[in-house]
């Protein structure tokens, strides 16, 4: 039998390992259906930073400009476009064409890829779609999110993809509604849970003993960027939030461990949180920065409960069967959890100002059925979504 080969275009080898969890789940599902999978990293990485060759990495450019300039939106957009056209485009196109030419089709997804932050993804996804069209390869979209408001410029970047996609599924209803105005009412837009929810359940059975709660940390700057209502929260306020949360967890008889998704900035913030808690006399452990998906999975498997700030830390925790609560800093987070009928586990951003944040987390952890109530239903939806996509591509 002729085995189909599919290129997955996504943020595969990101330091934020939640991105790989999406790819990992989709790859597993496709392989179960007899598909050979090839990764295409939209940020031009051929592998992990310590192992693989980086085609055109951002490090050199990042060192040229100071942080002050990078805070200016116009500068970021112009810098992104210049970097693409002057440095990255030719090398990326050459390598991507090699991958796509040897494949039977391309799937874009998942993750928050249909967004126009600094024109980053429109340029890259547009290039992938153009190559697929030129080589007469079917292309589709699975499990993507639509970020913010798409501008006319960004839509032009995505137009090749949206005009030629055999199938489009989004990971939440808000993304579907945003995209409707661009693709028109005739083309069906499907909604299916975030692909990372399809990760296989943990095979690790946590040993009896102390119950452990993981605290998944992100920098305060992310809240400041996305949530104007908490821009008055200072770094000391943020550390106080973590101290209050930790004290509540300890009163509930839990051991504590601080962890991240692997982003170096997240780990720097985690170090600050850890130091604050230790200075306050709180017994807590700090996990090393996970550098591979297996590191992230193993760290999450070692806890019973997880307070997640990175959305895909929460999704991975759910997939692995851990009691999970997540804190929203972007509209995408409640939307994604709404798609699996578990919006109740999402805490609003104003929890950062709560004098007793643990009281808002605890009811989620005490829910008897969570996280397994709807698991089989939404995992079946993901598998059905992938199967439907493949039919439009190859039948």
């Amino acid at each position: 039998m002729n085995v189909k080969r599919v290129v997955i275009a996504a943020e595969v080898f990101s330091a934020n390992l939640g991105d790989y969890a999406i790819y990992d789940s989709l790859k597993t599902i496709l392989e179960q259906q007899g598909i050979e999978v090839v990764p295409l990293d939209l940020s031009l990485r051929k592998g992990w930073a310590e192992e693989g060759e980086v085609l055109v990495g951002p490090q050199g450019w990042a060192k040229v400009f100071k942080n002050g300039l990078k805070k200016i939106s116009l500068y970021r957009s112009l810098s992104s476009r210049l970097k693409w056209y002057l440095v990255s485009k030719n090398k990326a196109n050459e390598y991507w064409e090699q991958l796509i030419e040897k494949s039977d089709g391309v799937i874009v997804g998942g993750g928050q890829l249909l967004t126009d932050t600094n024109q980053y993804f429109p340029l890259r996804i547009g290039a992938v779609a153009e190559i697929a069209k030129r080589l007469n390869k079917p292309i589709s979209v699975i499990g993507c999110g639509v970020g913010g408001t798409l501008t006319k410029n960004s839509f032009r970047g995505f137009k090749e993809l949206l005009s030629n996609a055999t199938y489009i599924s989004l990971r939440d209803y808000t993304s579907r509604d945003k995209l409707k105005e661009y693709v028109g009412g005739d083309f069906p837009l499907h909604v299916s849970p975030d692909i990372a929810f399809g990760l296989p359940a943990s095979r690790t059975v946590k040993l009896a003993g102390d119950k452990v709660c993981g605290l998944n940390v992100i920098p305060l700057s992310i809240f400041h960027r996305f949530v104007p209502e908490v821009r008055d929260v200072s770094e000391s306020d943020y550390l106080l939030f973590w101290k209050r949360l930790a004290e509540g967890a300890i009163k509930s008889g839990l051991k504590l461990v601080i962890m991240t998704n692997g982003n170096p900035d997240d780990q720097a913030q985690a170090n600050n949180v850890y130091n604050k808690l230790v200075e306050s006399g709180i017994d807590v452990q700090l996990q090393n920065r996970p550098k591979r998906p297996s590191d992230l999975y193993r760290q999450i498997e070692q806890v019973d409960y997880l307070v997640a700030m990175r959305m895909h830390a929460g999704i991975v925790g759910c997939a692995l069967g851990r009691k999970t609560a997540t804190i929203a800093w972007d509209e995408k987070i409640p939307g994604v959890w709404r798609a699996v009928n578990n919006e109740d586990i999402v805490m609003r951003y104003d929890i950062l100002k709560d004098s007793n944040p643990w009281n808002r987390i605890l009811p989620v952890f005490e829910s008897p059925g969570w996280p397994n109530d709807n698991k089989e239903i939404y995992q079946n939806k993901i598998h059905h979504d992938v199967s439907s996509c493949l039919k439009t591509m190859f039948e």
Side-chain angles (χ1 to χ4, degrees):
M1 183 177 68
N2 184 27
V3 175
K4 297 292 186 184
R5 177 183 293 166
V6 170
V7 167
I8 297 178
E11 286 288 273
V12 181
F13 298 111
S14 168
N16 180 358
L17 298 171
D19 291 323
Y20 189 90
I22 303 169
Y23 169 79
D24 194 9
S25 179
L26 180 55
K27 176 177 179 287
T28 300
I29 295 169
L30 288 170
E31 288 178 342
Q32 289 171 351
Q33 301 197 32
I35 304 292
E36 182 182 342
V37 175
V38 178
L40 184 159
D41 188 285
L42 292 168
S43 288
L44 315 177
R45 296 162 291 221
K46 286 187 176 180
W48 299 109
E50 292 87 353
E51 293 179 353
E53 174 190 355
V54 177
L55 205 63
V56 184
Q59 292 84 356
W61 277 77
K63 293 176 183 177
V64 175
F65 300 101
K66 298 297 183 181
N67 288 334
L69 275 177
K70 288 192 277 185
K71 292 179 181 179
I72 302 173
S73 176
L74 179 60
Y75 159 74
R76 293 197 306 266
S77 180
L78 289 173
S79 174
S80 178
R81 294 175 71 86
L82 286 171
K83 177 182 171 183
W84 171 250
Y85 286 112
L86 298 179
V87 180
S88 306
K89 182 179 179 181
N90 290 338
K91 292 182 179 180
N93 282 349
E94 181 182 354
Y95 179 56
W96 292 348
E97 184 163 336
Q98 293 173 11
L99 296 180
I100 295 172
E101 186 174 25
K102 296 176 183 177
S103 77
D104 296 290
V106 179
I107 293 176
V108 176
Q112 192 92 333
L113 299 181
L114 302 182
T115 183
D116 65 348
T117 304
N118 307 327
Q119 286 290 298
Y120 191 85
F121 288 124
L123 295 171
R124 286 155 176 76
I125 291 175
V128 170
E130 288 173 5
I131 294 170
K133 182 180 180 181
R134 186 171 68 252
L135 297 176
N136 197 29
K137 306 291 184 179
I139 190 167
S140 62
V141 179
I142 284 189
C144 282
V146 179
T149 302
L150 295 182
T151 64
K152 290 182 179 179
N153 283 337
S154 65
F155 180 66
R156 280 196 291 268
F158 292 128
K159 187 175 181 180
E160 198 71 64
L161 171 68
L162 300 176
S163 299
N164 293 287
T166 66
Y167 187 87
I168 299 176
S169 76
L170 292 314
R171 65 185 182 182
D172 61 274
Y173 293 97
T174 301
S175 292
R176 181 197 62 184
D177 294 342
K178 287 180 180 179
L179 201 59
K180 266 184 180 179
E181 62 182 287
Y182 294 98
V183 300
D186 295 334
F187 193 95
L189 297 177
H190 306 274
V191 176
S192 182
D194 188 288
I195 301 166
F197 280 112
L199 282 171
S202 172
R203 296 180 181 178
T204 301
V205 178
K206 190 175 177 299
L207 299 177
D210 292 328
K211 295 293 184 181
V212 180
C213 180
L215 305 179
N216 174 262
V217 175
I218 63 172
L220 175 61
S221 59
I222 293 179
F223 282 94
H224 285 174
R225 178 182 174 188
F226 288 95
V227 189
E229 292 85 351
V230 296
R231 286 176 184 162
D232 60 336
V233 174
S234 66
E235 180 68 19
S236 61
D237 295 331
Y238 192 51
L239 295 177
L240 178 59
F241 157 77
W242 285 110
K243 177 176 178 289
R244 288 168 169 170
L245 189 69
E247 289 170 343
I250 289 173
K251 286 181 181 178
S252 293
L254 302 180
K255 295 289 186 179
L256 296 175
V257 58
I258 296 171
M259 58 180 60
T260 70
N261 272 30
N263 184 291
D265 291 338
D266 292 12
Q267 195 70 30
Q269 182 72 72
N271 290 339
N272 292 339
V273 173
Y274 172 76
N275 291 333
K276 172 67 175 179
L277 298 188
V278 170
E279 289 171 4
S280 302
I282 294 174
D283 183 16
V284 62
Q285 294 183 340
L286 174 66
Q287 291 280 20
N288 292 328
R289 180 172 78 88
K291 297 180 180 179
R292 296 290 185 275
S294 57
D295 299 335
L296 177 66
Y297 301 163
R298 183 173 60 253
Q299 290 180 7
I300 291 177
E301 286 175 331
Q302 291 171 354
V303 306
D304 303 277
Y305 305 93
L306 179 64
V307 179
M309 284 191 163
R310 284 289 180 189
M311 184 174 75
H312 279 95
I315 292 174
V316 171
C318 173
L320 297 181
R322 273 38 185 180
K323 294 269 190 178
T324 303
T326 188
I327 297 173
W329 46 267
D330 189 300
E331 65 176 2
K332 69 183 181 183
I333 297 174
V336 165
W337 286 95
R338 191 179 304 124
V340 292
N341 296 320
N342 277 316
E343 190 180 2
D344 290 346
I345 71 106
V346 180
M347 306 292 113
R348 276 174 50 89
Y349 48 77
D350 59 2
I351 194 173
L352 298 186
K353 300 180 179 182
D354 201 311
S355 61
N356 194 342
W358 183 251
N359 282 351
R360 291 168 65 173
I361 299 287
L362 186 57
V364 174
F365 291 160
E366 291 179 337
S367 176
W370 167 248
N372 296 311
D373 284 343
N374 304 314
K375 192 169 186 177
E376 184 176 354
I377 294 173
Y378 60 69
Q379 290 197 338
N380 286 341
K381 286 183 178 179
I382 295 168
H383 283 259
H384 176 75
D385 190 44
V386 174
S387 296
S388 298
C389 173
L390 293 175
K391 286 180 180 179
T392 67
M393 294 177 72
F394 301 127
E395 292 186 5

